Amino acid sequence: MSPNLISGNCHKDKRGHLFYNNDFDLTNIKRMYVIENSSIDIIRAWQGHTIEQRWFSATKGSFKIQLIAVDNWDTPSLTLPIIEFTLHSETFDILHIPAGYISSLQALEEESKLVVMADYHLGELNDEFRYPTDYFTI
């Protein structure tokens, strides 16, 4: 399975804005949290899961999301291809990251906020893998 962007939209009228994503199915979501980096210079990389899935949506500002499909969780290849997405709060798009990927997150605007949704409760699995920010050749 590959990452996919579930497109949202925004309705504007004299009353204001209504952001929506009618194609996103929340059936598998068990928990959610919000990430707000302390500055746009912070990069949260590389973290991922063999079993868990994640869904990301920018609720304020924008984020650059980079993803890598891991070939070997013990010693991943250094030159794996990187897939890049940019999420903007104006569109309410939701990025689905299936199991088997690691991610790098960077806010592109100060005070940006990223909602993260997961399909397992905290501590339900021991399925977190982390690699140093400079591990992969970019």
Side-chain angles (χ1 to χ4, degrees), residues 95-111:
L95 177 60
H96 172 234
I97 296 98
Y101 284 82
I102 56 174
S103 63
S104 168
L105 314 173
Q106 183 176 16
L108 298 175
E109 302 170 50
E110 295 295 338
E111 299 180 7

Side-chain angles (χ1 to χ4, degrees), residues 86-129:
T86 302
L87 296 179
H88 302 276
S89 60
E90 298 86 24
T91 56
F92 202 46
D93 294 340
I94 297 170
L95 177 60
H96 172 234
I97 296 98
Y101 284 82
I102 56 174
S103 63
S104 168
L105 314 173
Q106 183 176 16
L108 298 175
E109 302 170 50
E110 295 295 338
E111 299 180 7
S112 292
K113 293 184 180 188
L114 186 71
V115 170
V116 181
M117 295 163 274
D119 60 347
Y120 284 88
H121 292 291
L122 187 62
E124 190 173 352
L125 295 173
N126 183 14
D127 183 44
E128 185 172 280
F129 290 82

Side-chain angles (χ1 to χ4, degrees), residues 24-32 55 117-120:
F24 179 49
D25 181 358
L26 289 127
T27 304
N28 295 322
I29 305 302
K30 290 189 177 180
R31 68 185 177 100
M32 59 190 292
W55 292 263
M117 295 163 274
D119 60 347
Y120 284 88

Side-chain angles (χ1 to χ4, degrees), residues 16-78:
H17 298 80
L18 177 100
F19 298 91
Y20 61 93
N21 194 315
N22 294 334
D23 295 324
F24 179 49
D25 181 358
L26 289 127
T27 304
N28 295 322
I29 305 302
K30 290 189 177 180
R31 68 185 177 100
M32 59 190 292
Y33 52 94
V34 175
I35 294 173
E36 182 178 359
N37 288 349
S38 58
S39 88
I40 59 173
D41 298 323
I42 300 295
I43 300 174
R44 294 174 180 257
W46 292 97
Q47 177 180 324
H49 308 275
T50 62
I51 300 169
E52 291 186 61
Q53 302 177 79
R54 292 288 191 274
W55 292 263
F56 296 155
S57 184
T59 58
K60 183 177 180 185
S62 57
F63 275 83
K64 177 172 77 171
I65 313 289
Q66 293 182 312
L67 303 173
I68 295 176
V70 175
D71 59 348
N72 178 324
W73 290 93
D74 293 325
T75 54
S77 299
L78 299 176

